[in-house]
Amino acid sequence: MMSFLTSFVNGLSLGSIYAIIALGYTMVYGIAKMLNFAHGDFIMVGCYIIFIFSSNLGLNPVAAILIAIVLCTLLGITTERVAYRPLRNAASPLAVLITAIGVSYFLENLALLIFGADTKSFTSVVPWAGISLFGGSLQIQGITIVTILVSLLILIFLQLFVHKTREGQAMLAVSQDRGAAMLMGIDVNKTITLTFAIGSALAAVAGALLASAYPSLTPYTGAMPGIKAFVAAVLGGIGSIPGAMIGGLVLGIIEILSRTYISSQLADAIVFGILVVVLIVRPTGILGKNIQEKV
Amino acid sequence: MLLEIKGLSVYYGVIQALKGIDFSVDRGEIVALIGANGAGKTTTLHTISGMIEPKAGEINFEGKDISKVPGHLRVNMGIAQVPEGRRVFADMTVEENLKMGAYTRRDKAELNDTMSMIFDRFPRLKERRNQISGTLSGGEQQMLAMGRALMSKPSILLLDEPSMGLSPIMVNEVFDIIRSVHEDGTTVLLVEQNAKKALNIADRAYVLETGSITTSGNASDLLEDDSIRKAYLGD
Ligand SMILES: Nc1ncnc2c1ncn2[C@@H]1O[C@H](COP(=O)(O)OP(=O)(O)OP(=O)(O)O)[C@@H](O)[C@H]1O
Ligand SMILES: [Mg+2]
């Protein structure tokens, strides 16, 4: 029982990280109508930035995270401006997708060039050891608790931002009809830039939490979590903010439980198998809207 | 002149959709732009609103060429469009859609005044203010699209086929609303395939054929014109 609870809490924590990444995926998809396949690599960039400032230069972890958030935000804005925006009205939507894959390889290889292929050991940004319950039979690490709380705070913040601010309303309008949004006086470019900024800032936060929970850092650190978060976003209903949260949590829990009770080799296969089954039963994902043809 | 278009040319890739057209709309007028499918009517309105950039030509609004002004800034200058196919924000409620129409206006109190004026003009929208817009009927969506455009208090209202797909009763209702909006001081540029209705309500009209303006004149004269009657009025 205690081992189940331990796995469940760990799953919740991993799921929270997926959720934070998936939020970035889903917002960019919903508003800019593109899959930013480099999103996972923004996480890796965030990790290296924190690694340099915190593990190497000995800066306070919180300050290092703030620096990573700022730099990742700038990276997201620049990538959108330089690589994606010129292709926004391209004849084929594949153009920008392929560019995103290119950006992903570019960032991975750049990291390889600068930091080499060897694994760097990352110092957790949460020094707190955690709590021990039921007379020590249930140990919950500090980073696990912090991760779950941070993801909840981010979800609440995003929901308030989207539904209560002018910029959030602009995002909703752009996600539903870009042309009509422009006719309302909304600066579509600015709205998309803001979306990339938020998504990239979240990637930096996810990177800090991920590398603290799994403290080995390579240029490919972000790739697999990025793909799983994409799966989580699709599972929850791509474009939906609460959907990304639910999708992330479900995925994390399933992954850790499969690892513990079935097989650690098969865990990823199970995760992707579940995605396939869900999409067959509910093509729009858990919280996705039914797509109805309207005349 | 409130709006004066000079030599406007627009391309989609290599295809020229507008071939250097000239026309104008005076303050207080209703001007109709009629033409067959694919003539370039929607392209004209999109270019005026800044959704498309022209290759050449001027869009003079209140005496100033705005053809280089980003589209989203033209709303605040007084240009609002009711797009073809309504394009209401389907997942938002009626009231949220109206608020989107006033996106550029910051004064909350004034905004509420405009909203009550819109609700007076469109009582059906008031009844349905909390309904999700995607579930409105076609006619109601058309009302909403018009109300949304009026929320920015435009000096010129561009309407793209507001009667499309509506029942005859609804069409009459829509044209009554256009007339009353105009009487309240809004200049109107009306794109229509329903040429008879459009010419009946308009002061002047232009006929657009494959990207060029071929005929223009007083609407009442065009209603009598034989070739117009043949081509556009089904006589
Ligand atoms: N996005 C686009 N890409 C390429 N060609 C386009 C595009 N939009 C319009 N066109 C072409 O430009 C021409 C004018 O189109 P436009 O939509 O302005 O016509 P319209 O007069 O509004 O027609 P309708 O009465 O059917 O609405 C047409 O030949 C059309 O095929
Ligand atoms: Mg048209």
Side-chain angles (χ1 to χ4, degrees):
Chain A
M1 186 58 206
M2 281 309 153
S3 91
F4 175 80
L5 263 185
T6 307
S7 297
F8 188 83
V9 172
N10 287 339
L12 213 54
S13 164
L14 179 63
S16 300
I17 296 174
Y18 289 156
I20 298 171
I21 309 170
L23 284 167
Y25 251 117
T26 226
M27 287 181 73
V28 165
Y29 178 82
I31 292 152
K33 298 284 178 272
M34 71 161 288
L35 288 172
N36 179 18
F37 268 117
H39 191 62
D41 300 295
F42 289 12
I43 298 168
M44 174 271 295
V45 172
C47 287
Y48 274 109
I49 293 169
I50 297 169
F51 173 77
I52 294 172
F53 283 98
S54 175
S55 304
N56 264 9
L57 302 178
L59 205 68
N60 170 324
V62 175
I65 293 174
L66 288 178
I67 294 173
I69 290 176
V70 171
L71 293 181
C72 277
T73 303
L74 290 177
L75 174 68
I77 292 174
T78 311
T79 308
E80 192 275 327
R81 190 66 253 260
V82 174
Y84 301 156
R85 191 183 296 182
L87 296 169
R88 200 180 289 157
N89 299 317
S92 161
L94 284 179
V96 70
L97 191 71
I98 292 165
T99 306
I101 294 171
V103 170
S104 169
Y105 277 111
F106 174 78
L107 292 175
E108 285 173 13
N109 284 295
L110 191 67
L112 204 56
L113 201 70
I114 300 175
F115 300 101
D118 56 318
T119 306
K120 303 265 185 291
S121 75
F122 190 95
T123 322
S124 173
V125 293
V126 180
W128 176 35
I131 53 172
S132 133
L133 296 171
F134 308 110
S137 52
L138 180 62
Q139 298 274 353
I140 305 177
Q141 287 188 308
I143 180 69
T144 308
I145 297 168
V146 169
T147 300
I148 295 169
L149 289 180
V150 165
S151 72
L152 275 179
L153 284 178
I154 288 175
L155 177 70
I156 294 168
F157 166 79
L158 282 183
Q159 286 290 62
L160 288 177
F161 179 79
V162 166
H163 292 284
K164 298 279 178 243
T165 67
R166 244 170 83 81
E167 287 72 21
Q169 289 296 302
M171 285 181 173
L172 288 180
V174 171
S175 75
Q176 290 179 40
D177 186 330
R178 194 181 286 176
M182 195 231 82
L183 288 179
M184 303 298 109
I186 292 169
D187 186 341
V188 173
N189 280 335
K190 201 180 99 192
T191 305
I192 290 179
T193 300
L194 181 63
T195 309
F196 268 86
I198 292 175
S200 314
L202 292 182
V205 174
L209 298 169
L210 183 76
S212 298
Y214 304 89
S216 62
L217 178 55
T218 76
Y220 309 107
T221 288
M224 200 57 187
I227 290 176
K228 293 214 186 120
F230 170 58
V231 170
V234 173
L235 195 67
I238 193 143
S240 157
I241 289 177
M245 192 72 193
I246 290 173
L249 293 179
V250 167
L251 208 71
I253 291 167
I254 292 173
E255 182 178 333
I256 297 285
L257 290 183
S258 319
R259 236 178 250 294
T260 315
Y261 292 105
I262 304 174
S263 142
S264 57
Q265 278 89 29
L266 274 183
D268 286 348
I270 293 170
V271 163
F272 285 96
I274 284 170
L275 171 76
V276 172
V277 173
V278 168
L279 289 186
I280 290 171
V281 180
R282 242 190 106 75
T284 50
I286 299 170
L287 290 188
K289 279 179 304 227
N290 292 319
I291 298 161
Q292 283 171 343
E293 216 56 61
K294 274 197 85 73
V295 184
Chain B
M1 281 303 155
L2 181 60
L3 178 69
E4 195 172 22
I5 306 293
K6 282 187 191 159
L8 196 67
S9 283
V10 174
Y11 286 76
Y12 293 109
V14 291
I15 298 163
Q16 188 169 16
L18 293 181
K19 300 167 183 167
I21 62 171
D22 304 279
F23 71 93
S24 62
V25 182
D26 219 340
R27 208 177 280 278
E29 276 189 311
I30 300 185
V31 170
L33 189 61
I34 58 177
N37 287 116
K41 307 181 295 296
T42 298
T43 303
T44 305
L45 293 196
H46 279 188
T47 312
I48 296 171
S49 284
M51 298 166 90
I52 311 174
E53 242 181 84
K55 180 143 270 176
E58 289 176 17
I59 303 167
N60 293 300
F61 184 69
E62 292 179 327
K64 190 171 145 249
D65 182 13
I66 60 164
S67 58
K68 297 283 183 297
V69 175
H72 66 273
L73 298 178
R74 299 186 198 179
V75 180
N76 234 1
M77 303 176 98
I79 301 176
Q81 184 184 151
V82 183
E84 185 175 59
R86 296 129 201 169
R87 294 172 75 168
V88 297
F89 298 109
D91 296 342
M92 296 186 191
T93 64
V94 166
E95 197 168 324
E96 285 166 343
N97 262 283
L98 292 176
K99 283 192 183 144
M100 289 313 312
Y103 186 79
T104 56
R105 296 176 56 193
R106 302 284 189 146
D107 189 325
K108 273 261 158 64
E110 244 184 76
L111 203 145
N112 287 334
D113 284 352
T114 316
M115 177 107 63
S116 7
M117 270 165 53
I118 304 271
F119 279 144
D120 289 344
R121 204 187 285 286
F122 305 95
R124 277 155 186 271
L125 293 185
K126 189 172 188 174
E127 288 161 25
R128 298 167 184 278
R129 61 198 296 170
N130 295 317
Q131 189 172 332
I132 298 293
S133 306
T135 64
L136 295 172
S137 76
E140 289 158 358
Q141 288 191 8
Q142 188 62 53
M143 305 281 173
L144 179 55
M146 291 168 76
R148 185 180 65 175
L150 290 171
M151 283 296 289
S152 68
K153 287 202 155 183
S155 39
I156 188 166
L157 185 64
L158 316 175
L159 291 151
D160 199 344
E161 304 205 31
S163 74
M164 187 169 63
L166 301 185
S167 69
I169 294 175
M170 211 48 171
V171 171
N172 286 337
E173 215 173 300
V174 163
F175 274 87
D176 285 345
I177 290 164
I178 297 172
R179 200 170 276 125
S180 85
V181 167
H182 172 247
E183 274 163 11
D184 288 350
T186 309
T187 305
V188 175
L189 175 58
L190 172 65
V191 159
E192 260 300 338
Q193 292 224 28
N194 190 334
K196 192 173 214 158
K197 282 264 171 210
L199 291 177
N200 269 314
I201 198 177
D203 302 302
R204 291 185 306 113
Y206 294 88
V207 178
L208 196 58
E209 280 176 29
T210 56
S212 305
I213 285 173
T214 52
T215 315
S216 63
N218 288 326
S220 50
D221 296 340
L222 293 186
L223 270 172
E224 302 300 319
D225 184 293
D226 274 347
S227 61
I228 298 288
R229 294 182 71 96
K230 256 210 190 91
Y232 298 101
L233 303 174
D235 290 354

